[in-house]
Amino acid sequence: MTIPLFHVDAFTDRPFAGNPAAVCLLPSWKEDGWLQAVAREMNLSETAFLLKHPGHFDLRWFTPKVEVDLCGHATLASAHLLWQQGQTSGDEIRFSTRSGILKALRHGEDIELDFPSKPEEAAEAPPGLVEALGVSAKYVGKNHFDYLVEVESEAALRGIAPDFKRLARVPVRGIIVTSKSADPRFDFVSRFFAPGAGIDEDPVTGSAHCCLADFWRKRLGKTEFVAFQASARGGVVRVRVERDRTMLGGRAVTVTKGELLVEGIEP
């Protein structure tokens, strides 16, 4: 039996932009080694694995190197794909994940994800972090996933060329870098580096905005934002804070579809 596998670009309304994810529809759960091997083979920042149940889907996310606890763009890609392929009806999908129940809500062509907020607290930069980024830090904070570094300007943010080998030694999932936007269309901009998880720079990171939304809420005095992640591919994330939840909005485009022909790996 073959296993359906799709390539979806998330947080974009056009192909070859946003953040690509592989989405794999499983008939039953495979062993973790197989899931990790598939993610390594796909070599994208995330591969999402889905298993259908009455009323919800199990969802797990893998980078080429590790399984992660929360991923926005691969959840957006998964929801888009499930509606597109007729795998579910109605305008709400419930995902059972390592971060609890997550919801995807359909509003026409837009999808909004209901995620937990992950606020940061001020922290001392660990040895080597700022030096590896090669930029002055205006502020450093940390949540239980990532460090957050605010820099002085969007120009400074866009000019960062990290030392990824040095950055990979920072004991954290990833590093969020952010600043106010110089473009009036956006409230803030960011970049996300996670070399320790096998991703030097992630194109558009939904889960990072679960931290960024609260950070900028406190500084800008508002609860709704349009954010831009300034990677080479780039992507727009619409963000809304509701109590202890962060709503992430965007679109996705299916680029390819295929089948996995190998169901297992040799021991």
Side-chain angles (χ1 to χ4, degrees):
M1 187 174 85
T2 57
I3 297 174
L5 182 68
F6 301 81
H7 177 128
V8 180
D9 289 341
F11 290 114
T12 182
D13 58 1
R14 57 188 177 88
F16 316 124
N19 200 352
V23 180
C24 185
L25 304 180
L26 294 173
S28 61
W29 279 116
K30 304 289 187 181
E31 63 180 33
D32 289 1
W34 184 88
L35 300 175
Q36 188 65 73
V38 171
R40 188 165 55 247
E41 186 78 4
M42 295 303 99
N43 200 32
L44 298 172
S45 59
E46 301 285 348
T47 297
F49 297 94
L50 291 158
L51 181 62
K52 188 174 185 177
H53 295 280
H56 78 278
F57 290 83
D58 288 343
L59 171 60
R60 296 172 69 181
W61 312 278
F62 286 77
T63 77
K65 190 173 180 179
V66 296
E67 183 174 10
V68 299
D69 291 333
L70 188 66
C71 178
H73 86 278
T75 305
L76 180 65
S78 297
H80 162 83
L81 194 281
L82 291 173
W83 275 312
Q84 184 185 65
Q85 296 298 309
Q87 293 287 323
T88 188
S89 59
D91 292 327
E92 179 181 299
I93 301 174
R94 294 170 63 88
F95 296 106
S96 177
T97 77
R98 286 169 59 152
S99 288
I101 296 295
L102 306 177
K103 298 178 184 177
L105 307 171
R106 181 168 59 175
H107 305 286
E109 294 184 7
D110 294 318
I111 297 172
E112 188 173 63
L113 304 178
D114 182 348
F115 269 35
S117 294
K118 299 294 181 182
E120 46 66 48
E121 296 182 353
E124 184 177 346
L129 171 60
V130 174
E131 293 81 1
L133 291 172
V135 68
S136 297
K138 185 177 178 181
Y139 171 87
V140 177
K142 187 179 185 298
N143 64 15
H144 74 279
F145 285 154
D146 308 309
Y147 277 100
L148 182 146
V149 178
E150 183 187 7
V151 297
E152 191 63 40
S153 67
E154 181 172 336
L157 178 141
R158 288 179 177 272
I160 293 173
D163 180 337
F164 290 116
K165 288 185 178 180
R166 193 171 185 182
L167 206 59
R169 294 196 288 269
V170 177
V172 73
R173 180 190 74 158
I175 296 91
I176 307 164
V177 184
T178 189
S179 74
K180 288 183 180 179
S181 176
D183 186 331
R185 294 176 299 169
F186 307 113
D187 294 292
F188 62 85
V189 294
S190 67
R191 293 174 69 183
F192 185 82
F193 309 108
I199 309 161
D200 282 351
E201 181 168 5
D202 194 37
V204 192
T205 315
S207 62
H209 288 77
C210 295
C211 177
L212 286 162
D214 184 74
F215 176 82
W216 286 108
R217 175 188 64 81
K218 291 181 286 191
R219 284 154 179 79
L220 299 180
K222 55 193 291 188
T223 58
E224 295 190 27
F225 310 92
V226 180
F228 183 73
Q229 191 153 332
S231 64
R233 292 172 65 98
V236 177
V237 185
R238 298 187 181 277
V239 190
R240 181 162 52 89
V241 180
E242 287 192 0
R243 297 180 297 279
D244 62 345
R245 307 295 292 181
T246 299
M247 314 299 283
L248 307 172
R251 297 184 178 184
V253 180
T254 303
V255 177
T256 62
K257 63 178 181 179
E259 295 174 325
L260 276 172
L261 303 178
V262 180
E263 293 195 45
I265 56 176
E266 293 297 325

